[in-house]
Amino acid sequence: MERTDTTKNLNFLALNEQDIIVMDKIRDLPENSAYTTEHVLVMICTTGKIQFDYDGQLTTVHKGELFLGVPGSVVSDYMVSPDFDCKLIAVKPTEVMASRELHTMIINSMLHIKTHPVARLTETDAEDVFAYHDLICRRIRLAEHRYKNGEVRSLINAFLLRMVGIMDSGTEVKETESSVRGEQLVEKFVWMVNEDCGRNRLVEYYADRLNITSKYLSTLVRIILGRTPMDVIKVVTMKEIERRLRYTDDSIKQISQAMNFPNTSFFGKYFKQHSGMTPNSYRKKYHK
C-alpha cells in the first residue's frame, strides 16, 4: 500500500515556540556551521546522504537510515549530496524529562546512542517512523483546543520511545559495573532534581545526597547526558517557574519564596537571564 504523505507541503512546524520542532524538508543549510544541539534530534534521511562531524566522530546518514542525536552535542563540518532530504523532529530536554519512562530509557541507552547514533531502518521501522511523523504533523496543524498540547506531547513521547527502541534493537550493549553505577547515579540525580522542582539549585546539594563529590557528579552527567548538572537544574527550575507563572495565581513574591530564592529581585534576574523576559512579562504573555 502506498503511504499517503499528509505533510507534502510542510516545511516547518513548532509547538510551544521552539520546544518541539517538526520539519518535513531541509533546505538551504548554512555552510560549514557548527552548533551545540539543545534538542534531542531525530533525523530520517529520505533521499541522498549527509555527512558531518558529531562530537569529533565522522558520521554519515544514508537514505533509509535514522540518526538520533542527544542534547549538548556539537554538530559541524557537514556536507550533503545534491539530492539530500530528510524529515526531522527536535525536542527540548524539558519535554523528554516530562516523561519518566522516556527519560529513564534514554539515560539507560545514552552511552550507546552517543557512540552509535545511526541505525538502518527495516521496512517495518520505516513504516512506523513515517506514520508517527505524519500523525504528529497533523495534530500540530490542528486548530488550538484544550487538549492539543497534551496530545502532541504524548505522541512525541511514544515516537521517541520507538526511536530509542530502534537504536537498541539487535545490538548487544556491553555494560561494566562502573558504567551501570554511573548511569544509576545520573538517573537518581535527574530524578531528585525533578522531585525538588528546582527548589535546590546547588550541585553540591545533590552530590552530598548521592555521597559523591561534585566533580565526580559533573563528570558523570557530562559523559552520559552531554550536559552539565547546572544545565539539568536550570531546565527543571525554569519549567517549574513557567508552570507557576502560567497556571497559578500566585504572586511573584509567593513564587519566589516557594522556589527558595533569597528575594524577588534575585528571582527576577534569574528568570530574565534564562528566558529573556521578566516574570511579569512572561505571565502577561502566557497566563491562562
Side-chain angles (χ1 to χ4, degrees):
M1 181 181 293
E2 183 177 352
R3 186 177 62 87
T4 301
D5 190 350
T6 60
T7 60
K8 184 176 181 181
N9 299 316
L10 173 69
N11 288 320
F12 175 90
L13 286 173
L15 180 73
N16 192 19
E17 295 187 351
Q18 299 297 308
D19 288 353
I20 297 173
I21 299 170
V22 182
M23 301 186 74
D24 192 57
K25 293 181 180 296
I26 303 295
R27 294 196 179 100
D28 302 323
L29 290 171
E31 295 183 1
N32 297 321
S33 62
Y35 66 97
T36 302
T37 60
E38 296 181 353
H39 299 74
V40 175
L41 292 175
V42 179
M43 178 174 66
I44 307 101
C45 183
T46 53
T47 58
K49 67 178 181 179
I50 182 172
Q51 178 179 292
F52 51 90
D53 186 282
Y54 179 67
D55 277 349
Q57 175 184 348
L58 184 62
T59 302
T60 304
V61 187
H62 297 87
K63 176 183 176 180
E65 291 183 337
L66 162 73
F67 169 80
L68 182 58
V70 299
S73 299
V74 178
V75 177
S76 62
D77 299 329
Y78 59 81
M79 296 182 295
V80 300
S81 64
D83 59 340
F84 169 74
D85 208 344
C86 73
K87 295 180 183 292
L88 181 144
I89 292 185
V91 185
K92 277 285 185 70
T94 48
E95 302 301 326
V96 176
M97 288 181 181
S99 167
R100 169 66 174 165
E101 181 181 5
L102 175 59
H103 168 246
T104 300
M105 190 173 182
I106 286 182
I107 282 183
N108 290 340
S109 303
M110 189 64 67
L111 290 176
H112 172 66
I113 292 173
K114 201 164 178 61
T115 55
H116 301 82
V118 179
R120 166 64 58 176
L121 294 172
T122 66
E123 184 176 348
T124 300
D125 291 339
E127 289 177 357
D128 288 348
V129 168
F130 290 125
Y132 269 119
H133 188 278
D134 287 352
L135 182 56
I136 290 168
C137 289
R138 290 204 303 271
R139 306 320 290 176
I140 291 179
R141 295 173 71 185
L142 282 180
E144 291 296 326
H145 61 85
R146 64 184 299 183
Y147 302 115
K148 176 180 177 178
N149 284 9
E151 182 181 358
V152 173
R153 284 179 169 82
S154 295
L155 286 171
I156 290 288
N157 285 338
F159 173 75
L160 290 178
L161 283 168
R162 183 71 179 95
M163 299 307 100
V164 175
I166 290 173
M167 301 301 291
D168 278 349
S169 64
T171 303
E172 182 181 355
V173 181
K174 296 181 180 179
E175 295 182 318
T176 64
E177 183 177 348
S178 60
S179 69
V180 171
R181 172 167 165 74
E183 291 177 357
Q184 290 173 342
L185 286 170
V186 171
E187 182 176 353
K188 287 180 181 178
F189 162 68
V190 179
W191 177 248
M192 287 190 297
V193 175
N194 277 278
E195 191 174 39
D196 287 344
C197 294
R199 288 187 292 268
N200 295 293
R201 291 175 291 279
L202 294 177
V203 177
E204 292 81 1
Y205 168 82
Y206 295 102
D208 288 343
R209 288 182 63 184
L210 292 168
N211 295 314
I212 58 177
T213 66
S214 300
K215 183 177 180 180
Y216 184 50
L217 176 59
S218 296
T219 299
L220 288 176
V221 173
R222 281 184 178 277
I223 291 173
I224 295 174
L225 297 184
R227 304 171 70 82
T228 68
M230 284 305 301
D231 289 335
V232 176
I233 294 170
K234 180 192 72 176
V235 165
V236 176
T237 300
M238 289 299 294
K239 182 178 179 181
E240 177 62 15
I241 294 173
E242 290 170 357
R243 184 192 70 78
R244 289 173 180 267
L245 288 171
R246 291 182 68 172
Y247 301 111
T248 77
D249 293 319
D250 293 347
S251 67
I252 301 301
K253 182 178 180 179
Q254 288 174 321
I255 296 174
S256 173
Q257 291 174 340
M259 295 299 296
N260 289 335
F261 283 91
N263 51 60
T264 54
S265 176
F266 189 90
F267 169 72
K269 290 178 181 178
Y270 180 93
F271 187 81
K272 187 172 183 179
Q273 177 186 354
H274 298 301
S275 71
M277 304 172 66
T278 66
N280 278 320
S281 297
Y282 181 90
R283 168 162 275 176
K284 288 178 182 178
K285 184 175 181 180
Y286 294 108
H287 195 203
K288 296 181 179 180

